Amino acid sequence: MRKVQLWRRLAAAFYDALLLIALYFIVGWIAVMSNDGEAVESFWMFWLLLLIAWGFFFKFWRYPGQTLGMQVWKFRVVQESGAPITARQATARYVFALVSWACCGLGFLWALIDKKQQTWHDKMSQTRLEFIDHKQRSQDS
């Protein structure tokens, strides 16, 4: 089985970050407009933005098993058995991906030395990334 290289993961993450930034701008605009044009308390906005990111990844990882960035680079997230991931795994994957980023990206760089090229969040959520071949995609539809 072909492994998903780190550079592909990071390219997909970049695409997804652009989408999240667009969502954040919309939410920020709505928050400011609903607060009579005044800035919103940063404590609540921080948690709201984390919740929005969780919802984004949760939705796409659960169905269809890939974010929009992952669709572009033709891979998806699955359980170690190859089955779709559970709600618990999607949430664990999100939390541990935050940890991976918070440690200066070390959780992602771990894929460079791991035999299976897994990141910390792959390991902790018991998930893996797999390439999608075109035949399989047409059968899944």
Side-chain angles (χ1 to χ4, degrees):
M1 179 186 318
R2 234 172 89 203
K3 306 288 188 255
V4 177
Q5 304 93 342
L6 180 61
W7 71 268
R8 282 185 184 269
R9 289 173 179 263
L10 296 176
F14 177 74
Y15 279 53
D16 294 335
L18 293 176
L19 293 169
L20 275 174
I21 289 169
L23 281 174
Y24 289 169
F25 273 112
I26 293 167
V27 169
W29 180 80
I30 292 170
V32 168
M33 291 297 110
S34 64
N35 197 31
D36 295 325
E38 297 293 322
V40 179
E41 188 177 333
S42 61
F43 174 81
W44 296 112
M45 280 303 290
F46 172 79
W47 291 107
L48 177 61
L49 296 179
L50 279 179
L51 183 63
I52 288 168
W54 170 80
F56 173 87
F57 288 108
F58 184 89
K59 186 267 180 245
F60 285 111
W61 286 339
R62 291 278 291 140
Y63 180 82
Q66 54 189 168
T67 62
L68 298 173
M70 294 163 87
Q71 288 176 24
V72 170
W73 291 99
K74 298 182 179 17
F75 63 90
R76 66 181 167 191
V77 62
V78 294
Q79 293 185 37
E80 291 175 341
S81 67
I85 67 172
T86 66
R88 186 177 190 167
Q89 286 174 308
T91 300
R93 185 174 177 82
Y94 173 73
V95 169
F96 289 110
L98 289 176
V99 171
S100 292
W101 282 119
C103 294
C104 300
L106 288 177
F108 281 87
L109 294 175
W110 186 262
L112 296 173
I113 61 171
D114 187 79
K115 290 178 190 175
K116 296 180 181 180
Q117 294 182 348
Q118 288 186 303
T119 59
W120 290 351
H121 48 283
D122 291 328
K123 291 182 174 302
M124 298 304 286
S125 64
Q126 298 175 338
T127 61
R128 64 180 170 84
L129 298 181
E130 69 176 14
F131 278 103
I132 300 173
D133 69 35
H134 296 290
K135 292 177 189 174
Q136 184 177 3
R137 273 184 44 183
S138 61
Q139 290 172 355
D140 288 347
S141 300

